[in-house]
Amino acid sequence: MIDIVSQPIDTTAVLAHVASPEAGAVVLFLGTTRRSTQGRQTDSLDYECYAEMAQAKLAELENEARQRWPILECALVHRIGHLKIGEASVAVAVSTAHRQAAFEAGQW
């Protein structure tokens, strides 16, 4: 699953996508909008992208991750538009047979 969305990321759908009866581990990472960065206050963020290019780059990242780790399923979702503090801008989910590979792949 590679997706660019303009509404809040549906984490239930992301987790459902990576579910597998072979998985002993599922890792979900959410990148969220934080209030401050290096002492500078943030009120909100606005994301935009060229969707076709962004989807192609996300597909490249997924392919490379699959070469590095034994990933069963993978989901990469990025949100565009206006995000308030605390809202998720990116979701990365992976399932693998064992937790170490899931944590490493999700972190990468």
Side-chain angles (χ1 to χ4, degrees):
M1 164 190 257
I2 293 173
D3 207 0
I4 308 291
V5 299
S6 58
Q7 297 298 316
I9 295 171
D10 182 349
T11 56
T12 301
V14 170
L15 288 171
H17 181 80
V18 300
S20 169
E22 305 303 317
V26 173
V27 168
L28 170 64
F29 167 78
L30 297 176
T32 57
T33 308
R34 64 181 175 269
R35 184 168 311 281
S36 65
T37 302
Q38 298 177 347
R40 296 183 65 190
Q41 292 298 107
T42 301
D43 294 324
S44 62
L45 291 175
D46 290 285
Y47 288 98
E48 57 184 44
C49 74
Y50 176 52
E52 292 81 9
M53 185 183 297
Q55 288 172 328
K57 186 59 179 177
L58 290 171
E60 284 179 29
L61 293 170
E62 178 183 358
N63 288 336
E64 186 169 342
R66 287 182 179 277
Q67 290 175 19
R68 292 180 178 210
W69 294 278
I71 293 172
L72 298 169
E73 297 295 340
C74 181
L76 304 169
V77 181
H78 204 300
R79 184 169 168 197
I80 58 173
H82 186 78
L83 280 76
K84 298 176 184 174
I85 301 302
E87 291 187 302
S89 57
V90 65
V92 175
V94 294
S95 59
T96 63
H98 303 284
R99 70 178 159 227
Q100 183 173 349
F103 277 118
E104 289 175 1
Q107 182 179 19
W108 180 83

